[in-house]
Amino acid sequence: MKILIVGGVAGGATAATRLRRLSEENQIIIFERSGYVSFANCGLPYHIGGTISQRDKLLLQTPQSLKSRYNLDARVRSEVVSIDRVNKSIEVKNLETGAHYTETYDKLLLSPGADPIRPAFPGVQHPKILSLRNIEDMDRIIESTKQENDFVVVGGGFIGLEVAENLIEKGKNVTLVELSPQVMAPVDIEFASFLHEKARGKGLKILLQTGVERFNATGEGLEVTLSNAQTLQAGAVILAIGVRPENTLAKAAGLAVGVTGGIEVNRYLQTSDPDIYAVGDAIEVKQLVSEQPVLIPLAWPANRQGRLVADNLLYGNTHEYQGTLGSSILKFFELSVAATGLNEKMLKKLHIPYQSIIITKGHHAGYYPGAKDMVLKVLFDPKGAILGAQAVGEEGVDKRIDIIATAMHAGLKVQDLQEIEITYAPPFNSAKDLINIAGYAAENILNGTLKVINHHALWDYQKANDALLIDVRTKEEFSRGHIPGAINHNVDELRALLPTLDPSRKYIIYCQVGLRGYLANKILSNHGFDTVNLQGGYHLWNKLYPQNN
């Protein structure tokens, strides 16, 4: 059988090597438009910043290594320009010579990836306006850092934040422009606020709710005009607004495209043509929680799909792709922020009922040196099904989100998080991990013994219920900053103060991160008071509203 693969990197290269491991009989040809068939595209920003010092470390396989080890025919600088489904052939353009030729196929796999979005801003074609998709793009950005000192990054997603961080690490002046009210869309605003604060501390200027209007060339570089009429001067601009699925080839061939713009595939990764399959960033997949069609341009799904599709190409449709949670993580200077499943914004948009719990705790035992605070948020439905989770901190974030993603795949309820045995020794963990505590707290919420609200609901709840806001930290902590309108009653003195409180009123309780607030809540509720806890405490509130303390 002759199998042609359009596109290398994660999905295409994984499928090709799996196909060869399964059989020596088939002819396999990979066509890659760039000059590199298999490279670590997630590592590109870190070579720009110098963390990955050797460029060759990013090159996972070359045409020569794929030939010698796997007997694969990998053709770089080769662009597939059309598909003839009737005659089962493709037209290929050799980008080195300009020559066109055809190749026939028995089975065809599309793995063209996604293209950086490049809106039609006036002046956007200027050669100093760059993007980052492949090795060649990386080389151009590195060359620009040798000549320029002032950069504007447009877009606050993964690529935008990683590139901005690495430019700062190289000593550059960087301004990041983001149209939405926060960076990193997969997490909710309270978690993005940690990134906003970290950026300020590192000298990275972030302009939120700000768009780009146009670019103008100047003698020194570029003038960037923003939606607020402000202008920025830059030696170079990095566009990182997002990506769109590369569906041009598929659409021209008459293959079905989904509502998201991704190539439509069935559960076997088969397109509307039974002899053509597709994987990676170019395809539309099912989000496992919402069961909605989505685009999830991440490396893990592409690699998983590449392995599965190889089996289906050879043996018929035997392996189903279940869908994608969208688990993701970002390193941003010393911080890590990660998410899986749906966030609160998406749950609201889809009208899915949910509750949440927010826990702040050290990533290992507090008495062992070096404990770093981590904030974990778990979202769940009224029956306890886990809908998503987010975490931010300096250490241990990946571990907690990976555990919750595993629990979601296994169909565990949020209450089951109490039962997960997590390895414990003081350098690694606490005897009660954040995961376990999230399970305990969620159980309390579901059985009605604990009522909570989040920061975005604070003022509306207070106004609607004429609720009194009580800060249960120490007087010293209260004096250093507190939520406006709060009164201070130290949790350790609260029982003695009960006669001074009005049992007919409702109370909102908070402390620094949550534990003392929970204890104060139990003291008051056990004495018949109507109480609700503010999740995340003053620590999280101060991240969201640093100018209002």
Side-chain angles (χ1 to χ4, degrees):
M1 183 161 58
K2 185 176 181 180
I3 301 170
L4 305 184
I5 301 175
V6 181
V9 197
T14 297
T17 52
R18 170 72 173 170
L19 283 164
R20 181 57 74 223
R21 292 195 301 274
L22 293 173
S23 172
E24 288 285 328
E25 305 300 320
N26 303 295
Q27 182 183 4
I28 303 166
I29 307 174
I30 307 171
F31 301 90
E32 171 57 45
R33 184 167 50 192
S34 77
Y36 302 88
V37 67
S38 179
F39 59 90
N41 52 356
C42 294
L44 300 181
Y46 300 102
H47 184 54
I48 293 171
T51 301
I52 299 173
S53 59
Q54 299 180 45
R55 183 176 182 273
D56 288 351
K57 294 289 187 182
L58 298 171
L59 307 179
L60 306 179
Q61 295 286 348
T62 65
Q64 294 74 28
S65 67
L66 288 172
K67 181 64 177 177
S68 62
R69 179 167 292 183
Y70 297 101
N71 192 26
L72 298 173
D73 182 357
R75 304 178 188 178
V76 297
R77 301 290 292 155
S78 298
E79 181 179 9
V80 176
V81 295
S82 66
I83 302 169
D84 182 346
R85 292 168 52 198
V86 174
N87 295 303
K88 297 183 72 173
S89 68
I90 62 172
E91 181 184 356
V92 185
K93 180 181 179 181
N94 184 318
L95 297 178
E96 297 288 350
T97 66
H100 288 244
Y101 63 95
T102 61
E103 287 281 357
T104 59
Y105 64 84
D106 295 305
K107 298 290 183 181
L108 178 64
L109 173 61
L110 302 180
S111 181
D115 274 337
I117 295 172
R118 199 175 179 92
F121 301 125
V124 76
Q125 298 306 321
H126 193 283
K128 290 189 176 182
I129 299 176
L130 309 171
S131 57
L132 182 61
R133 183 189 185 190
N134 53 37
I135 295 285
E136 291 93 340
D137 292 337
M138 178 193 72
D139 290 341
R140 282 188 284 270
I141 294 173
I142 290 173
E143 190 61 31
S144 74
T145 65
K146 298 175 183 178
Q147 305 164 6
E148 310 296 347
N149 196 52
D150 299 310
F151 287 81
V152 171
V153 176
V154 183
F158 289 94
I159 296 297
L161 289 168
E162 288 169 349
V163 169
E165 173 192 359
N166 280 279
L167 290 173
I168 289 286
E169 297 285 21
K170 287 183 77 74
K172 304 301 179 181
N173 299 319
V174 186
T175 300
L176 187 147
V177 179
E178 169 56 49
L179 190 59
S180 77
Q182 67 168 77
V183 299
M184 199 177 176
V187 301
D188 292 315
I189 183 64
E190 59 262 48
F191 288 80
S193 67
F194 284 80
L195 303 180
H196 301 163
E197 179 186 63
K198 178 61 70 173
R200 289 191 294 269
K202 294 292 183 177
L204 169 60
K205 187 176 182 181
I206 295 182
L207 303 179
L208 298 172
Q209 295 180 286
T210 305
V212 169
E213 293 289 326
R214 64 182 180 274
F215 301 102
N216 293 314
T218 66
E220 295 75 29
L222 287 162
E223 181 181 75
V224 185
T225 302
L226 305 178
S227 56
N228 60 9
Q230 181 183 354
T231 59
L232 302 173
Q233 304 302 315
V237 172
I238 315 298
L239 284 184
I241 297 172
V243 296
R244 61 166 58 95
E246 178 49 84
N247 62 17
T248 305
L249 194 62
K251 289 174 70 175
L255 298 176
V257 171
V259 294
T260 63
I263 301 169
E264 191 174 282
V265 294
N266 63 16
R267 61 186 183 275
Y268 303 108
L269 302 167
Q270 189 176 39
T271 71
S272 53
D273 184 318
D275 291 318
I276 303 177
Y277 291 71
V279 296
D281 297 354
I283 70 170
E284 180 178 273
V285 297
K286 179 180 73 173
Q287 208 287 331
L288 279 173
V289 177
S290 68
E291 300 189 340
Q292 299 291 311
V294 292
L295 299 170
I296 299 183
L298 295 171
W300 186 92
N303 279 277
R304 178 63 179 148
Q305 294 156 14
R307 180 182 173 88
L308 293 179
V309 80
D311 294 64
N312 292 338
L313 281 163
L314 286 189
Y315 306 130
N317 293 336
T318 56
H319 287 63
E320 296 185 14
Y321 183 67
Q322 301 297 326
T324 307
L325 281 174
S327 302
S328 59
I329 190 166
L330 170 78
K331 172 196 169 296
F332 190 64
F333 299 103
E334 295 84 7
L335 286 178
S336 300
V337 59
T340 190
L342 300 181
N343 59 31
E344 197 168 348
K345 299 187 297 287
M346 188 56 67
L347 291 170
K348 289 177 179 177
K349 181 178 179 180
L350 296 172
H351 305 290
I352 297 175
Y354 72 93
Q355 259 290 10
S356 68
I357 189 67
I358 297 175
I359 305 295
T360 302
K361 200 172 188 293
H363 84 286
H364 64 52
Y367 58 83
Y368 187 87
K372 305 288 188 180
D373 272 350
M374 186 186 341
V375 184
L376 172 68
K377 179 179 183 178
V378 183
L379 299 148
F380 50 95
D381 75 8
K383 295 183 179 179
I386 305 172
L387 303 173
Q390 301 158 48
V392 64
E394 293 189 21
E395 299 283 349
V397 166
D398 52 343
K399 172 179 177 176
R400 275 63 180 203
I401 292 299
D402 289 344
I403 290 172
I404 292 178
T406 303
M408 293 174 73
H409 272 285
L412 300 183
K413 300 288 189 181
V414 70
Q415 304 94 310
D416 296 324
L417 298 180
Q418 302 172 74
E419 305 296 337
I420 294 179
E421 292 187 41
I422 300 173
T423 54
Y424 163 62
F428 303 101
N429 209 340
S430 298
K432 289 188 290 187
D433 188 77
L434 275 83
I435 295 291
N436 305 131
I437 294 173
Y440 299 144
E443 182 180 60
N444 290 338
I445 290 171
L446 290 170
N447 66 24
T449 60
L450 174 65
K451 293 189 292 184
V452 296
I453 59 170
N454 288 348
H455 291 79
H456 55 73
L458 171 60
W459 303 122
D460 287 343
Y461 181 90
Q462 185 182 39
K463 183 177 179 181
N465 295 281
D466 189 28
L468 184 63
L469 189 61
I470 300 181
D471 184 322
V472 297
R473 299 175 299 157
T474 65
K475 291 180 180 179
E476 290 75 17
E477 289 174 291
F478 186 81
S479 67
R480 290 195 294 267
H482 56 270
I483 300 176
I487 63 171
N488 181 218
H489 289 328
N490 189 327
V491 62
D492 295 328
E493 302 167 358
L494 192 56
R495 286 184 178 86
L497 294 170
L498 290 177
T500 69
L501 299 178
D502 182 353
S504 68
R505 294 196 69 175
K506 295 186 177 183
Y507 295 89
I508 304 168
I509 311 298
Y510 77 89
C511 63
Q512 184 67 16
V513 296
L515 175 59
R516 286 175 290 174
Y518 170 67
L519 297 176
N521 183 300
K522 299 312 295 180
I523 292 171
L524 290 173
S525 62
N526 286 339
H527 283 85
F529 290 90
D530 190 341
T531 59
V532 63
N533 267 54
L534 178 64
Q535 299 212 78
Y538 179 74
H539 177 247
L540 195 54
W541 188 90
N542 194 39
K543 289 285 190 298
L544 285 164
Y545 314 107
Q547 72 282 7
N548 292 329
N549 57 16

